[in-house]
Every structure is written in structure tokens, then in C-alpha cells.
């Protein structure tokens, strides 16, 4: 039995926290400064975390390597299993030509790239987050944005930034449900408190997306669409989180926000604007059509008229995904699927916290049938039938998807192996305790814990599992509201997804930019630098008489 030590370096929590942070600092410096490939940077950080675990924390080599193996296994299943099947569905729509139909259908709803970007990345992405989560929204929305004309780097950037406000209630509210379990606090109170924080992000994110899509001009010309989308989403998210079934929070908010924008477009259209960063349009079999003139080469697309049946078929894979996840969420079905889940202790891991309590992370859950990736696989099989993709072509598309994910897969497995080593050895707990020592100012730093946890693991659920109980303990010590601090962990965590190496690898791989995760990291870092201080200030004010009335 290995027992974690919170301050192994001479009993100093500060020096111990500094050493514990080295693997993460090295990871982000390699990615953002030296532009090292994500898989290599992750492997280097993983090796460093193992060295710190053994040399500083006194963790035996066997458990240290076993921790890495469990993390890598979690990266393979369910993380990569989800992404693999979501991208396979995209590959089949590409093979059948229906992704081009989908792009032209979106163009008919609005020929404005900025409006398309908000509907796809924010509203549709929120729906995917509500149903699946774990990287699926980034993977699917990135390729959809490329299909409607965005360049790959911008498409991945927009998808990552948009995947923020819905995250706290993603995967049918799994993050906040998990938070209630690990803290022992009432689910209704945690859902309500989180619903008084993240909707404020929903008001801002669509406006930021306009800037990313088209700079200040985009904000100036298309702000009504962003405002309507954000306000409608925020209002419904708040109402559902406080008064409705928490599991349906993002489902309702995403559908209402998309409908609100569609209604707006009946009465308002943005001023047309050239899109210099737009990728060349292409049509099946014909490709892009270059047209000489002016300052260079313009691109125009052959006129293609799609039948109503083909337009409906182009949406069929995504409708199938919604139906499949909705069926899986029915209590009777969910209970039946749960009986197929196998949970076991990972071999070689016998670890206790510094208080002597067994660490729950040593248990590995293999929910082979109930997992989101399996639901997506079944949706893919159904989609192949609906899209009339021959069996041979469907299998070939699956193989191509596996090849496409090879480097991203290594990155995801290495990052989660890093997270597990840090969690099992006690490095993460040391960092959390160090921040918790800030006393009353902990309210200002509390969201940083959630942000940090999600940045490392790529999951708000994992971040809540990691730091939820610590937030409550710190709140009691600092005489702060436990519900507020616990919710702050989840709300801060949603902002860590966009810079998580795991999600960066998924986004880059989805649009064919594997190996350029560092460039993508620098693109989204600015947005994270804006949102995180905002959330920290909001939580701090909620801990004071200024906004304490917002705490349930």
C-alpha cells in the first residue's frame, strides 16, 4: 500500500507544489513556446512525472508505471473509442457525398460564414456535448466547419472555444452529478449554483466566436446572431439547471438557441462580407473552380441543386446520434445497459490518500456497451444504411479513420497517463492544497483548480472527481460556502477543455493538422486568458456580499 504524502520535499508545501508542477510546465512550454509535437511533448512530460513520483514522492516504480498504464488504457477506452466512431461517421458522409449536401444546406439557411459558425460550433456543438461529450463535439464540429468553408486551423479553433459553456452539463450532466457524488452535497444545489455561473459564459462566447471568425468586422456586422444565440442559450440553461431536470439542461438550451437564430434570420440578415480566410469550395467530382481576375484567383462552386430527400439524408447521421443517445438515456434502458458494465481494481495499484482513505482512481470501469463510443458506433452502422454506403466502403472508411488518429491517439494516451501518475502519486493533491492555503482569497483561485484539472485530464468530470472534495474541505477551512466552491470547480473546469492537450490533439487530427497542436494551442490560449479571470472574479464576488444572493 502506497500512501500519498502532501509535502514530500522537506515538509514544505510550497517547494513540493513547485516540483509537482514541473511536468505540466514542461508540457505547456514545449507545446506553446518550442512548438514540439503534442505526442512528443506529452511523452516527455509523462516521463518527468514518473521521475518526480519515484524520486520526490517515494512512490515505488511498479505502482508508478501501473498508474501510467491505467491512464493510457483510459485514453484508449473510452476517450479514443468515442472520437474514432464520431470521425468514422464523418468519413462515411464524406464518402457518400452528403457532407457537401449538408454544407450547401447550411448555406441556404444562411450564406454568412459567421452565422454558420455560431450555429454549428455553439448550438450544434452544445447538443453533441450534452449527449456525448469527451471530445466528440470538437471532432465533429471541426470537420463540419471545414465543410462549410473554414480553413482547418480556424475551424478547430472555433470548435474548441465554443466547447465551453455547455461542458458543465455535458454527457447528460455527468460532471455535476459526479461532483455531487464526490462532495456529498445536494445535486439540486450544485446544479443551481453552476447554473448561475456558466450561463454568463454563454452570453460572451458567441460574441468571441464572431471575433475569431471575422475580427472586429464580424462582431460589428453579425452581433445580433451572436447575441440572440448566447442569450437564448443562457436563459434556458439557467432555467433548466435551477428548475428542470438537470440531465436535459444542455439539450434544451442548444435546441432553443439554434431555433432562436433561425427565427432571427427570417427578419434580419448580416451585411455581406468577403471572407479572406475562407477555404476553397469544392463539389463532388468536380472540385473547386478557379476564376481568374482582380487581385488573384477566386473560387466559385458549380451550381448544385439538392433534392429535399438528399438534404434530409445529410442530417440523418446527426439525427441518428441524437436518437441513439436519447434512447440510451431512458431510465429503463440505462439501467439495462448498466448491468453490462464491468468494474475492477487495476492490477498492482494499492494506494491511499494522505488521510488513509483508499483512492477511487484505482478502479477501472469498462462499460463496453453503455459507453458513448459504443452508442456512436451503433449510430455509425445505422448511418451507413441511411446514407447507402456499401459495407466495403464503410469498413475502408473505418480503417482510414484509425490511420488518421494514430498520432492523436498516442497524445491522448500519454496525456491521460500523465494525469494518472500525477493523481496517484499525490502531485495533483499537493498543487490543490497549495492553492487552498490562500484562505479567504481561495474564492478567487478556486476556479483555477477546476481549470487546471480539466486542462490536464481533458474532462470536467475527471476534474470534479479530482478536486471536488478538496474544494469543499478548503471552503470549510476558509469559512466559505461549500456549494459555491464546489460549483466553481466545475465552472472553472469548462475553460480548461480548450487548452487540454487531449482535446487539442482531437481537434487538430479531425481537420488533418496532426502535429500542429502547438499552433492551435496558441490560438485558443488568448480566449482562455480572457475567460478564466472573468470566472475567478465572478466566483470571488459571489463569495462576498456583492453577489452572495446568487448562492442557493
Amino acid at each position: 500500500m502506497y500512501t500519498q504524502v502532501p509535502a514530500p520535499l522537506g515538509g514544505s508545501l510550497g517547494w513540493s507544489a513547485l516540483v509537482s508542477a514541473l511536468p505540466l510546465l514542461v508540457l505547456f512550454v514545449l507545446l506553446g513556446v518550442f512548438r514540439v509535437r503534442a505526442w512528443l511533448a506529452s511523452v516527455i512530460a509523462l516521463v518527468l512525472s514518473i521521475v518526480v513520483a519515484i524520486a520526490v514522492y517515494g512512490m515505488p516504480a511498479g505502482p508508478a508505471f501501473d498508474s501510467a498504464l491505467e491512464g493510457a488504457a483510459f485514453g484508449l477506452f473510452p476517450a479514443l473509442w468515442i472520437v474514432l466512431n464520431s470521425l468514422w461517421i464523418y468519413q462515411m458522409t464524406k464518402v457518400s457525398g452528403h457532407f457537401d449536401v449538408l454544407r450547401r444546406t447550411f448555406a441556404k439557411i444562411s450564406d454568412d460564414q459567421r452565422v454558420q459558425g455560431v450555429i454549428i460550433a455553439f448550438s450544434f456543438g452544445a447538443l453533441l456535448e450534452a449527449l456525448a461529450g469527451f471530445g466528440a463535439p470538437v471532432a465533429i464540429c471541426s470537420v463540419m466547419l471545414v465543410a462549410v468553408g473554414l480553413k482547418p486551423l480556424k475551424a478547430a479553433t472555433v470548435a474548441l472555444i465554443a466547447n465551453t459553456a455547455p461542458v458543465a452539463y455535458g454527457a447528460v450532466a455527468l460532471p455535476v452529478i459526479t461532483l455531487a457524488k464526490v462532495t456529498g452535497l445536494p445535486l439540486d444545489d450544485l446544479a443551481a449554483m453552476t447554473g448561475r455561473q456558466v450561463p454568463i459564459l454563454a452570453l460572451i462566447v458567441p460574441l468571441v466566436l464572431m471575433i475569431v471568425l471575422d475580427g472586429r468586422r464580424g462582431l460589428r456586422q453579425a452581433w445580433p446572431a451572436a447575441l440572440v444565440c448566447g442569450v437564448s442559450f443562457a436563459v434556458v440553461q439557467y432555467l433548466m439547471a435551477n428548475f428542470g431536470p438537470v440531465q436535459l439542461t444542455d439539450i434544451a438550451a442548444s435546441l432553443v438557441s439554434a431555433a432562436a437564430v433561425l427565427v432571427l434570420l427570417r427578419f434580419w440578415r448580416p451585411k455581406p462580407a468577403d471572407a479572406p480566410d475562407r477555404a476553397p469550395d469544392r463539389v463532388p467530382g468536380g472540385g473547386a473552380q478557379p476564376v481568374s481576375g482582380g487581385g488573384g484567383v477566386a473560387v466559385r462552386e458549380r451550381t448544385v441543386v439538392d433534392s429535399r430527400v438528399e438534404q434530409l439524408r445529410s442530417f440523418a447521421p446527426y439525427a441518428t446520434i441524437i436518437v441513439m443517445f436519447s434512447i440510451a438515456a431512458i431510465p429503463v434502458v440505462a439501467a439495462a445497459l448498466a448491468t453490462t458494465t464491468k468494474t475492477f481494481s487495476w492490477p498492482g495499484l494499492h494506494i491511499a490518500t494522505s488521510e488513509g482513505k483508499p483512492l477511487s482512481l484505482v478502479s477501472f470501469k469498462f462499460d463496453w456497451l453503455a459507453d458513448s463510443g459504443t452508442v456512436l458506433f451503433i449510430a455509425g452502422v445505422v448511418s451507413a444504411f441511411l446514407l447507402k454506403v456499401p459495407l466495403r466502403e464503410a469498413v475502408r472508411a473505418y480503417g482510414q479513420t484509425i490511420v488518421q488518429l494514430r498520432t492523436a491517439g498516442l497524445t491522448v494516451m500519454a496525456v491521460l497517463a500523465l494525469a494518472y501518475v500525477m493523481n496517484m502519486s499525490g502531485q495533483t493533491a499537493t498543487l490543490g492544497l497549495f492553492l487552498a492555503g490562500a484562505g479567504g482569497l481561495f474564492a478567487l483561485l478556486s476556479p483555477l483548480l477546476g481549470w487546471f484539472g480539466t486542462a490536464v485530464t481533458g474532462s470536467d468530470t475527471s476534474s470534479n472527481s479530482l478536486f471536488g472534495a478538496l474544494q469543499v474541505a478548503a471552503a470549510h477551512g476558509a469559512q466559505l460556502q461549500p456549494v459555491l466552491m464546489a460549483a466553481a470547480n466545475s465552472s472553472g473546469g469548462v475553460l480548461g477543455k480548450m487548452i487540454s492537450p487531449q482535446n487539442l490533439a482531437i481537434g487538430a487530427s479531425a481537420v488533418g493538422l496532426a502535429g500542429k497542436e502547438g499552433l492551435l494551442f496558441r490560438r485558443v490560449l488568448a480566449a482562455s486568458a480572457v475567460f478564466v479571470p472573468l470566472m475567478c472574479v465572478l466566483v470571488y464576488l459571489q463569495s462576498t456580499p456583492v453577489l452572495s444572493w446568487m448562492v442557493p
Side-chain angles (χ1 to χ4, degrees), residues 72 84 104 127 130 225 347 359 405-406 415 439 443 459 495 514:
L84 172 63
R104 292 190 290 270
L127 181 60
L359 197 66
L405 281 174
R406 61 188 185 278
V415 167
S459 166
L495 301 174

PDB file of all heavy atoms in Angstrom, residues 72 84 104 127 130 225 347 359 405-406 415 439 443 459 495 514:
ATOM      1  N   ALA A  72      -3.253   5.365 -19.655  1.00  0.00           N
ATOM      2  CA  ALA A  72      -3.207   5.110 -21.098  1.00  0.00           C
ATOM      3  C   ALA A  72      -4.399   4.267 -21.539  1.00  0.00           C
ATOM      4  O   ALA A  72      -4.978   4.489 -22.618  1.00  0.00           O
ATOM      5  CB  ALA A  72      -1.902   4.410 -21.457  1.00  0.00           C
ATOM      6  N   LEU A  84     -12.976   8.012 -32.339  1.00  0.00           N
ATOM      7  CA  LEU A  84     -12.861   7.148 -33.514  1.00  0.00           C
ATOM      8  C   LEU A  84     -14.200   6.978 -34.211  1.00  0.00           C
ATOM      9  O   LEU A  84     -14.307   7.135 -35.441  1.00  0.00           O
ATOM     10  CB  LEU A  84     -12.301   5.789 -33.091  1.00  0.00           C
ATOM     11  CG  LEU A  84     -12.296   4.680 -34.155  1.00  0.00           C
ATOM     12  CD1 LEU A  84     -11.403   5.064 -35.318  1.00  0.00           C
ATOM     13  CD2 LEU A  84     -11.847   3.350 -33.544  1.00  0.00           C
ATOM     14  N   ARG A 104     -24.099  22.742 -48.301  1.00  0.00           N
ATOM     15  CA  ARG A 104     -24.964  23.587 -49.130  1.00  0.00           C
ATOM     16  C   ARG A 104     -26.289  23.878 -48.428  1.00  0.00           C
ATOM     17  O   ARG A 104     -26.866  24.956 -48.607  1.00  0.00           O
ATOM     18  CB  ARG A 104     -25.192  22.909 -50.485  1.00  0.00           C
ATOM     19  CG  ARG A 104     -23.934  22.847 -51.348  1.00  0.00           C
ATOM     20  CD  ARG A 104     -24.248  22.394 -52.763  1.00  0.00           C
ATOM     21  NE  ARG A 104     -24.641  20.988 -52.830  1.00  0.00           N
ATOM     22  CZ  ARG A 104     -23.783  19.987 -53.008  1.00  0.00           C
ATOM     23  NH1 ARG A 104     -22.481  20.240 -53.122  1.00  0.00           N
ATOM     24  NH2 ARG A 104     -24.205  18.745 -53.069  1.00  0.00           N
ATOM     25  N   LEU A 127     -25.251  20.558 -28.309  1.00  0.00           N
ATOM     26  CA  LEU A 127     -26.101  19.373 -28.332  1.00  0.00           C
ATOM     27  C   LEU A 127     -25.251  18.106 -28.285  1.00  0.00           C
ATOM     28  O   LEU A 127     -25.558  17.158 -27.547  1.00  0.00           O
ATOM     29  CB  LEU A 127     -26.968  19.377 -29.588  1.00  0.00           C
ATOM     30  CG  LEU A 127     -27.944  18.210 -29.747  1.00  0.00           C
ATOM     31  CD1 LEU A 127     -28.922  18.162 -28.580  1.00  0.00           C
ATOM     32  CD2 LEU A 127     -28.684  18.306 -31.067  1.00  0.00           C
ATOM     33  N   ALA A 130     -23.934  17.709 -24.846  1.00  0.00           N
ATOM     34  CA  ALA A 130     -24.979  17.250 -23.937  1.00  0.00           C
ATOM     35  C   ALA A 130     -25.198  15.753 -24.052  1.00  0.00           C
ATOM     36  O   ALA A 130     -25.495  15.079 -23.063  1.00  0.00           O
ATOM     37  CB  ALA A 130     -26.286  17.987 -24.229  1.00  0.00           C
ATOM     38  N   ALA A 225     -26.864  37.955 -34.325  1.00  0.00           N
ATOM     39  CA  ALA A 225     -26.947  36.491 -34.313  1.00  0.00           C
ATOM     40  C   ALA A 225     -26.243  35.928 -33.085  1.00  0.00           C
ATOM     41  O   ALA A 225     -26.750  35.009 -32.422  1.00  0.00           O
ATOM     42  CB  ALA A 225     -26.335  35.916 -35.583  1.00  0.00           C
ATOM     43  N   PRO A 347      -4.667  -3.865 -11.650  1.00  0.00           N
ATOM     44  CA  PRO A 347      -3.623  -4.710 -11.037  1.00  0.00           C
ATOM     45  C   PRO A 347      -2.401  -3.901 -10.604  1.00  0.00           C
ATOM     46  O   PRO A 347      -1.927  -3.025 -11.321  1.00  0.00           O
ATOM     47  CB  PRO A 347      -3.258  -5.682 -12.161  1.00  0.00           C
ATOM     48  CG  PRO A 347      -4.461  -5.707 -13.053  1.00  0.00           C
ATOM     49  CD  PRO A 347      -5.042  -4.325 -12.992  1.00  0.00           C
ATOM     50  N   LEU A 359      -7.869   5.240  -2.639  1.00  0.00           N
ATOM     51  CA  LEU A 359      -8.048   6.138  -3.770  1.00  0.00           C
ATOM     52  C   LEU A 359      -8.973   5.477  -4.797  1.00  0.00           C
ATOM     53  O   LEU A 359      -8.724   4.347  -5.240  1.00  0.00           O
ATOM     54  CB  LEU A 359      -6.690   6.450  -4.411  1.00  0.00           C
ATOM     55  CG  LEU A 359      -6.625   7.664  -5.327  1.00  0.00           C
ATOM     56  CD1 LEU A 359      -6.865   8.954  -4.553  1.00  0.00           C
ATOM     57  CD2 LEU A 359      -5.268   7.739  -6.020  1.00  0.00           C
ATOM     58  N   LEU A 405      -6.041   8.865 -36.845  1.00  0.00           N
ATOM     59  CA  LEU A 405      -5.961   9.137 -35.406  1.00  0.00           C
ATOM     60  C   LEU A 405      -4.690   8.601 -34.744  1.00  0.00           C
ATOM     61  O   LEU A 405      -4.559   8.690 -33.524  1.00  0.00           O
ATOM     62  CB  LEU A 405      -7.179   8.525 -34.701  1.00  0.00           C
ATOM     63  CG  LEU A 405      -8.499   9.292 -34.792  1.00  0.00           C
ATOM     64  CD1 LEU A 405      -9.623   8.481 -34.183  1.00  0.00           C
ATOM     65  CD2 LEU A 405      -8.391  10.644 -34.109  1.00  0.00           C
ATOM     66  N   ARG A 406      -3.768   8.052 -35.523  1.00  0.00           N
ATOM     67  CA  ARG A 406      -2.644   7.355 -34.890  1.00  0.00           C
ATOM     68  C   ARG A 406      -1.808   8.276 -34.000  1.00  0.00           C
ATOM     69  O   ARG A 406      -1.453   7.895 -32.879  1.00  0.00           O
ATOM     70  CB  ARG A 406      -1.773   6.672 -35.949  1.00  0.00           C
ATOM     71  CG  ARG A 406      -1.128   7.579 -36.978  1.00  0.00           C
ATOM     72  CD  ARG A 406      -0.450   6.778 -38.084  1.00  0.00           C
ATOM     73  NE  ARG A 406       0.269   7.610 -39.021  1.00  0.00           N
ATOM     74  CZ  ARG A 406      -0.302   8.247 -40.037  1.00  0.00           C
ATOM     75  NH1 ARG A 406      -1.612   8.121 -40.232  1.00  0.00           N
ATOM     76  NH2 ARG A 406       0.419   8.992 -40.851  1.00  0.00           N
ATOM     77  N   VAL A 415      -1.180  11.828 -22.408  1.00  0.00           N
ATOM     78  CA  VAL A 415      -1.676  12.882 -21.513  1.00  0.00           C
ATOM     79  C   VAL A 415      -2.441  12.277 -20.341  1.00  0.00           C
ATOM     80  O   VAL A 415      -2.266  12.687 -19.185  1.00  0.00           O
ATOM     81  CB  VAL A 415      -2.572  13.866 -22.293  1.00  0.00           C
ATOM     82  CG1 VAL A 415      -3.340  14.762 -21.332  1.00  0.00           C
ATOM     83  CG2 VAL A 415      -1.733  14.723 -23.225  1.00  0.00           C
ATOM     84  N   GLY A 439      -6.564  30.949   2.023  1.00  0.00           N
ATOM     85  CA  GLY A 439      -7.549  31.500   2.944  1.00  0.00           C
ATOM     86  C   GLY A 439      -8.738  32.098   2.216  1.00  0.00           C
ATOM     87  O   GLY A 439      -9.281  31.504   1.295  1.00  0.00           O
ATOM     88  N   ALA A 443     -11.428  31.854  -2.791  1.00  0.00           N
ATOM     89  CA  ALA A 443     -12.573  32.021  -3.694  1.00  0.00           C
ATOM     90  C   ALA A 443     -12.133  32.562  -5.051  1.00  0.00           C
ATOM     91  O   ALA A 443     -12.721  32.238  -6.086  1.00  0.00           O
ATOM     92  CB  ALA A 443     -13.602  32.960  -3.070  1.00  0.00           C
ATOM     93  N   SER A 459     -11.198  16.469 -19.175  1.00  0.00           N
ATOM     94  CA  SER A 459     -12.567  16.141 -18.777  1.00  0.00           C
ATOM     95  C   SER A 459     -12.960  16.917 -17.535  1.00  0.00           C
ATOM     96  O   SER A 459     -12.265  16.883 -16.514  1.00  0.00           O
ATOM     97  CB  SER A 459     -12.686  14.632 -18.512  1.00  0.00           C
ATOM     98  OG  SER A 459     -13.875  14.322 -17.828  1.00  0.00           O
ATOM     99  N   LEU A 495     -13.412  25.808 -18.776  1.00  0.00           N
ATOM    100  CA  LEU A 495     -12.493  26.663 -19.527  1.00  0.00           C
ATOM    101  C   LEU A 495     -11.157  25.984 -19.791  1.00  0.00           C
ATOM    102  O   LEU A 495     -10.344  26.504 -20.552  1.00  0.00           O
ATOM    103  CB  LEU A 495     -12.270  27.967 -18.756  1.00  0.00           C
ATOM    104  CG  LEU A 495     -13.538  28.778 -18.488  1.00  0.00           C
ATOM    105  CD1 LEU A 495     -13.239  29.976 -17.595  1.00  0.00           C
ATOM    106  CD2 LEU A 495     -14.163  29.232 -19.797  1.00  0.00           C
ATOM    107  N   ALA A 514      -2.656  17.087 -37.614  1.00  0.00           N
ATOM    108  CA  ALA A 514      -1.916  16.353 -36.592  1.00  0.00           C
ATOM    109  C   ALA A 514      -0.456  16.776 -36.605  1.00  0.00           C
ATOM    110  O   ALA A 514       0.176  16.861 -37.657  1.00  0.00           O
ATOM    111  CB  ALA A 514      -2.029  14.846 -36.839  1.00  0.00           C
TER     112      ALA A 514
END
